[in-house]
Amino acid sequence: MMPLKNARGRFCGVMGLTAVLATTVAVNAQQTSQTLREAFADDFLIGAALSTRLPGGHDKVSTSMIAAQFNQVTPENCMKFGQIHPQPDRYNFTPADQLVAFAEKNKMTVVGHVLVWHNQTPDWVFENAQGKNLTRDELIARMRKHMEAVLGRYKGRIKGWDVVNEAFNGNGTMRRTKWFEIIGADLLEVAFRNAHAVDPNIELYYNDYGMTGGGKRNATVKLIEEFKAKGIRIDGVGMQGHWGLGGPSIDAIEQSIITFAKTGVKVHITELDVDVLPGRKPNRGGDLTKEQYQKEVDPYRNGLPDDMQQRLAKRYAALFGLFLKHKDKIARVTFWGASDKYSWKNNYPIRGRVNHALLFDREAKPKPAFHAVMRLKSK
Ligand code: XIL
């Protein structure tokens, strides 16, 4: 065994060794008792998306972990059109009210998600009473009324909103959604102008996935530049971080962070999770039994093995190393879910699997990935 040296380079005796070990244990204990929100307080907000029932307090273990670890929350579903405004004259504000109250109680920033999106938006939004498509003006009026009700309700209590979500295709063209079909090419402009008119003090964001690809990156930069030229407010770009262990590369993420920041907006890393499960594989012509296939696509039902925990930890450390390097450009990093128990990745893209995509496990306990992220701050 190598003789041990203490911090000043002197060789330690048995008593010295005990003292060194005691100090190490104390330092480790101190590190793990620190929380994400404390560790990154001077860098960027650290957030989590909350599933609809969480702020109601049915899972006390999870809510106390969330209150301790995060200083920002995003509603995972409860402010989406279909949930908060399910019928033309019916709003369901209860879960959203609970989320905002939970955030205030725990001194957390709230980001609204989302005003204009093609998913989780009922068909009635685009139709008249006869089931026919609305005209452009009618749909714009409906959008405005929705914004007045939802954005207006939380004025002064929500810092910013994802105004539009996922409006571009991978190649940078506009996605053919009902919103686009009826309103037309200036959909984003209309949405941002209206949101700003309803609340001139609120921050406005454009949010999308696949933002490391050239098509969406260029389309987003063009959008911001057009907005700036026309004097339309936009404060941030949300890069959804639904990423994997192997990709996108740190270089590609960095390129997008730098490119977006150059336009003068802040970058928000939204919806961060790291999928550890195999992609959607076809059952090769049915040559596997149902059980074999299940095992292949859902291999970690009984827990994530050590080597995989280490891979996840390394990936998260690389991501957070990059975020810290660009902390001057990044306003927040928001996980899509607080713990593996609540991760949508258990049901997407295949339903009913056991994924391990976040920093906290199903008991809301920190995983090796959490410690790897925290170590970046103790260096
Ligand atoms: C997901 C939620 O996590 C799920 O609970 C829901 O069933 C579907 O939507 N991009 C987004 C998020 O902007 O709103 C999506 O959230 C995930 C993909």
Side-chain angles (χ1 to χ4, degrees):
M1 201 181 129
M2 290 287 289
L4 276 162
K5 285 184 187 174
N6 68 12
R8 290 207 175 93
R10 295 195 192 103
F11 291 98
C12 322
V14 175
M15 283 310 287
L17 176 59
T18 315
V20 168
L21 287 179
T23 316
T24 313
V25 170
V27 168
N28 282 342
Q30 201 184 2
Q31 275 168 16
T32 49
S33 68
Q34 214 195 9
T35 66
L36 289 171
R37 68 186 279 176
E38 289 163 356
F40 291 90
D42 296 331
D43 305 314
F44 33 69
L45 291 171
I46 284 276
L50 300 191
S51 75
T52 301
R53 288 179 58 229
L54 259 176
H58 74 288
D59 176 353
K60 297 248 166 357
V61 174
S62 296
T63 40
S64 65
M65 177 278 278
I66 291 163
Q69 296 290 342
F70 302 101
N71 54 16
Q72 183 269 319
V73 283
T74 302
E76 184 177 356
N77 287 298
C78 72
M79 289 189 192
K80 290 175 179 169
F81 213 122
Q83 300 226 354
I84 202 160
H85 190 175
Q87 285 161 18
D89 293 310
R90 197 164 78 76
Y91 291 87
N92 176 21
F93 289 121
T94 311
D97 288 354
Q98 276 179 351
L99 178 132
V100 175
F102 174 81
E104 285 171 346
K105 188 172 150 216
N106 295 297
K107 302 196 167 33
M108 296 160 141
T109 301
V110 183
V111 170
H113 177 80
V114 46
L115 295 166
V116 174
W117 191 28
H118 56 283
N119 278 336
Q120 295 176 273
T121 304
D123 290 342
W124 68 257
V125 173
F126 308 101
E127 296 169 356
N128 64 18
Q130 289 72 46
K132 293 249 156 38
N133 269 2
L134 298 180
T135 63
R136 167 183 159 96
D137 286 348
E138 286 166 344
L139 184 56
I140 293 174
R142 190 162 273 176
M143 178 202 281
R144 176 66 177 252
K145 198 177 153 214
H146 176 77
M147 287 177 174
E148 278 164 6
V150 176
L151 203 143
R153 184 177 181 90
Y154 300 106
K155 252 187 196 182
R157 302 172 74 194
I158 287 189
K159 172 151 193 197
W161 271 90
D162 291 336
V163 181
V164 181
N165 198 25
E166 303 178 352
F168 296 126
N169 293 310
N171 64 7
T173 57
M174 293 281 291
R175 191 194 280 264
R176 263 52 193 168
T177 65
K178 279 266 172 187
W179 289 110
F180 174 81
E181 224 178 81
I182 298 174
I183 294 182
D186 61 348
L187 165 66
L188 284 116
E189 180 173 336
V190 167
F192 277 73
R193 280 193 194 279
N194 274 299
H196 182 62
V198 172
D199 184 351
N201 296 320
I202 205 149
E203 292 195 351
L204 305 177
Y205 317 127
Y206 175 69
N207 190 51
D208 210 332
Y209 65 90
M211 294 288 253
T212 51
K216 287 203 192 188
R217 189 192 285 158
N218 293 342
T220 306
V221 168
K222 204 165 146 249
L223 173 82
I224 302 165
E225 282 168 352
E226 273 176 28
F227 274 21
K228 297 261 146 146
K230 291 179 175 172
I232 302 169
R233 179 167 183 169
I234 179 165
D235 298 273
V237 166
M239 293 175 64
Q240 293 183 21
H242 298 298
W243 292 327
L245 282 169
S249 69
I250 294 296
D251 274 359
I253 300 170
E254 180 165 35
Q255 274 318 308
S256 287
I257 293 173
I258 292 172
T259 309
F260 293 143
K262 269 203 193 125
T263 67
V265 300
K266 283 280 182 190
V267 174
H268 296 238
I269 305 297
T270 63
E271 311 194 18
L272 179 59
D273 48 30
V274 175
D275 197 335
V276 299
L277 295 180
R280 192 203 293 263
K281 294 187 199 162
N283 184 357
R284 295 181 297 232
D287 61 351
L288 297 176
T289 64
K290 201 174 162 222
E291 289 69 33
Q292 284 169 328
Y293 176 68
Q294 273 298 318
K295 210 163 170 201
E296 214 170 274
V297 294
D298 192 13
Y300 311 122
R301 290 199 75 81
N302 302 322
L304 197 62
D306 275 353
D307 59 328
M308 289 298 291
Q309 294 280 14
Q310 291 318 317
R311 281 185 67 192
L312 185 67
K314 252 181 107 172
R315 177 67 164 156
Y316 266 116
L319 290 170
F320 272 81
L322 178 70
F323 302 155
L324 284 171
K325 178 174 170 195
H326 294 290
K327 63 183 181 183
D328 58 321
K329 307 172 185 65
I330 294 177
R332 74 183 155 106
V333 176
T334 305
F335 292 88
W336 205 242
S339 73
D340 290 342
K341 182 176 172 185
Y342 291 100
S343 167
W344 79 307
K345 281 286 164 186
N346 295 314
N347 289 305
Y348 185 88
I350 300 175
R351 287 199 73 78
R353 296 192 297 178
V354 177
N355 215 325
H356 304 265
L358 297 164
L359 299 189
F360 297 89
D361 68 15
R362 286 172 163 70
E363 276 76 54
K365 298 224 173 70
K367 293 156 64 173
F370 167 88
H371 297 294
V373 166
M374 291 296 277
R375 268 198 298 277
L376 297 173
K377 290 300 299 182
S378 62
K379 276 181 190 154

